[in-house]
Amino acid sequence: MHRMVRRNDATSTSLRIAFVVPGYATGSEGLWAIPALSDHIRCLASQHEVRVFALRYPAARAPWLLDGARIRTFAGGDARGIESGRLLARALAGITLELRSWRPHVVHGLWADEPGAIAAAAGRMLRVPSVVSLMGGEPCRLEDIGYGGLLGRRNRLLLSYSLRTASVVTTGSDYLAALIRPRLHGRTAARMPLGVDTALFQPAPQRGREAGAPHRAAGARLLCVASLTPVKDPLLALRSLSLLRDDQPRVHLDVVGDGPLRPELALVAERLGVAGMLTMHGAISRAELPARYRAADLLVQSSRHESQGMTVLEAAACGCPAVGTAVGILPELPGARVTPPGDAGALAEAVRALLQDAGARAAAGEAACTFVRSGLDVEQTTAAGIALYRRLLAAAPGRYNTTSL
């Protein structure tokens, strides 16, 4: 039986960490946690006590164990309006009741709207530190595609409360930190990215084609890994591909991912005359991704917004350089070529420049790989997160009540 450690000082070997998330389940439960988050929880739970509170997904059931953590869901599903308010009230009551007896060292909300507001409120009520991490489109307002947390009054209020109340606000990229800075009223967001499982995502002993990836006689291979949704803007990748057609006729774009834009992509490819230069593979298993990255000459990011951009880091860990829009963590990647979102001409030119310079492409891939492995491995990022928790507790030992909840 797992022994529950009851140490309460900031330098304890084991911490008790409560997470609040929109959903958390994998496998037979569906997929309600991004894989990098599951890696993070699994790594944390190997040394610390972790509980995860999922506000919306999956469906209600008794608490269960996953990735070494105890998971509890409030099964809010797609509740909106008054029902979403009732969900948040029910979740806050349930979480604080459980945490009073468990006595966490920190409450951490992942996504700064609903989870962040609940985590910040619970931390305030229980007098323990709270951390809120921006993980998606919370600080965005892209009206033409209906994307971003700033579009709705309710989400704006939740975000404002989270940022104002949390002990610490974190981001996973400099880009996201710059977006949220005007709303922090003088505070500085801490850096706390999710890390890459470098045991899974690693370079091949010798770069080149490998089993599991499609083979072609010659020509450069571009790879786009993303959900086919407007914020990922896969149509931009197609438009840039069409601009490469005349001087790079043998280039091929592999698109991995699925979503509502897939039928439109097929139609646009035909209209632009690049259908023969494109293969849409749909969703594939995570285990298949490393082979795709290793077989690609370049990863192409076409997104209009990324909070961090795990595909960029996974590709980098496999030695694949990246070209793409200046969002998320891509601008920080050594050797990456970045372009303005929505600019097909600039993206095509950046791709062309690296395709025509094998030496620069190899150097970019090597530098990106070193960058990830020297600080963005999941074990390293998890350790950095724990260090942040400990600094928070140690900075004001009289402020937080972790002994008498």
Side-chain angles (χ1 to χ4, degrees):
M1 180 180 294
H2 178 65
R3 182 170 62 88
M4 301 292 281
V5 181
R6 289 295 182 185
R7 299 174 182 173
N8 294 288
D9 62 281
T11 58
S12 299
T13 300
S14 178
L15 294 179
R16 295 184 299 281
I17 307 153
F19 286 98
V20 185
V21 298
Y24 199 88
T26 56
S28 61
E29 297 296 333
L31 183 59
W32 303 111
I34 58 176
L37 177 55
S38 294
D39 292 341
H40 181 73
I41 296 294
R42 191 179 304 112
C43 193
L44 266 180
S46 68
Q47 300 180 50
H48 303 274
E49 297 178 45
V50 178
R51 296 192 182 187
V52 178
F53 298 93
L55 300 179
R56 291 184 173 270
Y57 306 105
R61 54 170 289 180
W64 72 99
L65 295 178
L66 181 64
D67 297 327
R70 184 179 186 272
I71 318 297
R72 177 181 175 186
T73 179
F74 291 91
D78 295 324
R80 295 290 183 267
I82 293 176
E83 289 303 315
S84 68
R86 290 172 178 165
L87 164 66
L88 296 187
R90 177 164 52 88
L92 180 59
I95 289 170
T96 53
L97 179 63
E98 181 171 329
L99 294 187
R100 284 187 188 279
S101 59
W102 190 54
R103 298 184 298 175
H105 290 93
V106 64
V107 185
H108 192 159
L110 296 169
W111 284 269
D113 40 29
E114 290 181 342
I118 293 294
R124 189 171 190 172
M125 292 170 66
L126 300 173
R127 294 179 55 215
V128 299
S130 60
V131 178
V132 168
S133 294
L134 289 105
M135 299 281 287
E138 301 98 315
C140 288
R141 190 186 186 102
L142 301 177
E143 295 187 5
D144 59 316
I145 58 172
Y147 178 86
L150 299 184
L151 290 175
R153 180 175 181 274
R154 175 180 176 275
N155 276 6
R156 291 197 301 271
L157 291 173
L158 290 170
L159 175 63
S160 177
Y161 177 82
S162 296
L163 300 181
R164 185 174 66 251
T165 309
S167 308
V168 172
V169 175
T170 79
T171 66
S173 66
D174 291 345
Y175 158 82
L176 192 61
L179 272 186
I180 200 62
R181 188 173 296 123
R183 296 178 177 275
L184 291 177
H185 304 291
R187 300 175 70 189
T188 300
R191 189 176 178 85
M192 193 176 182
L194 292 175
V196 178
D197 180 358
T198 56
L200 175 61
F201 297 100
Q202 55 181 292
Q206 292 185 338
R207 287 259 303 153
R209 314 297 187 196
E210 62 177 80
H215 290 242
R216 291 185 173 83
R221 174 173 292 131
L222 309 179
L223 176 65
C224 182
V225 180
S227 58
L228 305 184
T229 58
V231 72
K232 300 296 184 180
D233 201 5
L235 293 169
L236 175 67
L238 285 193
R239 293 197 300 272
S240 66
L241 183 65
S242 72
L243 297 176
L244 295 168
R245 183 179 50 202
D246 291 341
D247 64 326
Q248 300 282 335
R250 305 189 75 177
V251 72
H252 199 92
L253 174 63
D254 290 298
V255 176
V256 171
D258 214 340
L261 291 183
R262 184 169 182 172
E264 184 179 354
L265 284 176
L267 292 174
V268 171
E270 289 286 351
R271 188 173 72 243
L272 293 176
V274 296
M277 305 168 69
L278 169 71
T279 303
M280 290 190 289
H281 300 275
I284 67 174
S285 71
R286 193 183 189 208
E288 296 176 82
L289 279 174
R292 296 283 176 183
Y293 292 133
R294 289 191 284 260
D297 293 291
L298 284 176
L299 179 82
V300 177
Q301 174 179 280
S302 57
S303 305
R304 293 185 60 179
H305 170 76
E306 293 283 350
S307 60
Q308 183 174 322
M310 291 307 302
T311 59
V312 166
L313 298 182
E314 291 168 355
C318 293
C320 178
V323 169
T325 49
V327 298
I329 206 167
L330 180 59
E332 302 171 47
L333 210 62
R337 305 290 178 94
V338 297
T339 62
D343 191 333
L347 182 58
E349 186 54 41
V351 170
R352 181 182 291 113
L354 275 183
L355 289 182
Q356 293 176 344
D357 191 339
R361 194 167 66 247
E366 184 176 345
C369 185
T370 300
F371 176 77
V372 170
R373 292 177 175 273
S374 63
L376 288 169
D377 172 88
V378 65
E379 293 188 359
Q380 296 167 328
T381 57
T382 302
I386 288 296
L388 185 148
Y389 296 153
R390 294 195 192 282
R391 288 196 303 272
L392 180 59
L393 287 162
R399 177 180 176 186
Y400 301 118
N401 177 14
T402 59
T403 59
S404 59
L405 291 174

